[in-house]
Amino acid sequence: MPSGTAKGYASTYTVSGPLDIWFKAAVPGANGAPTLHTDGTPEATANPNCVHAGMLKGGGGFNVNAELQERTSDNLAAPYEVKLLSSSMALTGEMLQFNAALLQIITPGASTPATAPSGKTGITLGSISNVASTCVLGIWEQKTTGKYFNVVLYDAYQANGLELSLNRSEDSAANVEFRSKAVSARATADQVGAIWIDNLT
C-alpha cells in the first residue's frame, strides 16, 4: 500500500522577534548575503559604517509587495496569464531612540551641518530634491539559538516623514518605513533585496 506524505510540523521554523534594524550596511555582492557576526549583528569589518536603529517600541517587521496583472479572455473563466508588474520590499518599526545621526537617516530632506554651534549636534532641513537612501538590514534570531534570519534592502529610503507626539506618560516613538529602490546594476532577479536564513544543520 502506498505511504502518505509526512507533515512538516516543526516549531523550530516558527518566527518571532525581537527584530533589530540596521542602517548604512554594506551592500552584499551578487549572490551574496550580509556578513554577520556570531551574535547576529553586522560584522564590523565588513560593515564599518553600520548604524543601529536602537530600541523599537512595538517591534518591527517587513513586507514584500507585488503588483500583479491578470490577463483574461472572454473565452475563459479564469486568467490565462499572470504577469508581475512591480515588486518592492519594506522594513518597518517604531523607533524609540533619537540622536543627530539617526535623525538624519530617518528624516527625508535632512542634512548634517558642516559646523554646528558649540556643544550641539543636529540636522537642518531645506530645499533638497534628492531623497537619501541606504542599505538596510532587519535581523532576528530563529528559535534555534545562534541561527538568524536577515532581510536586506539593497537601497532603501524612508517613506514616512518624521512625527513625534510628546507627553509625560510614555516615551515617544517614530514610525519608520524603509522602502526599496531597484538597483539596476544588479542581475534582474536580484535588484531589490533578499531574505537569508541560517541553515539549522
Side-chain angles (χ1 to χ4, degrees), residues 51-143:
V51 177
H52 187 227
M55 294 186 293
L56 304 178
K57 183 174 183 177
F62 78 97
N63 61 69
V64 178
N65 287 316
E67 181 184 359
L68 303 176
Q69 180 191 59
E70 294 182 345
R71 299 185 179 180
T72 61
S73 167
D74 190 54
N75 303 100
L76 302 172
Y80 62 84
E81 190 174 52
V82 179
K83 290 288 189 179
L84 178 66
L85 297 182
S86 66
S87 178
S88 64
M89 297 176 70
L91 269 165
T92 60
E94 294 177 279
M95 288 176 55
L96 277 169
Q97 296 179 213
F98 308 99
N99 57 29
L102 287 172
L103 285 174
Q104 184 183 9
I105 294 169
I106 69 171
T107 307
S111 296
T112 300
T115 56
S118 178
K120 299 183 184 298
T121 58
I123 60 173
T124 60
L125 300 167
S127 298
I128 299 175
S129 59
N130 291 329
V131 176
S133 58
T134 182
C135 181
V136 184
L137 297 180
I139 303 171
W140 67 99
E141 193 168 31
Q142 297 186 58
K143 295 292 176 70

Side-chain angles (χ1 to χ4, degrees), residues 34-55:
T35 304
L36 303 185
H37 188 59
T38 55
D39 63 0
T41 63
E43 199 279 320
T45 302
N47 299 273
N49 301 313
C50 236
V51 177
H52 187 227
M55 294 186 293

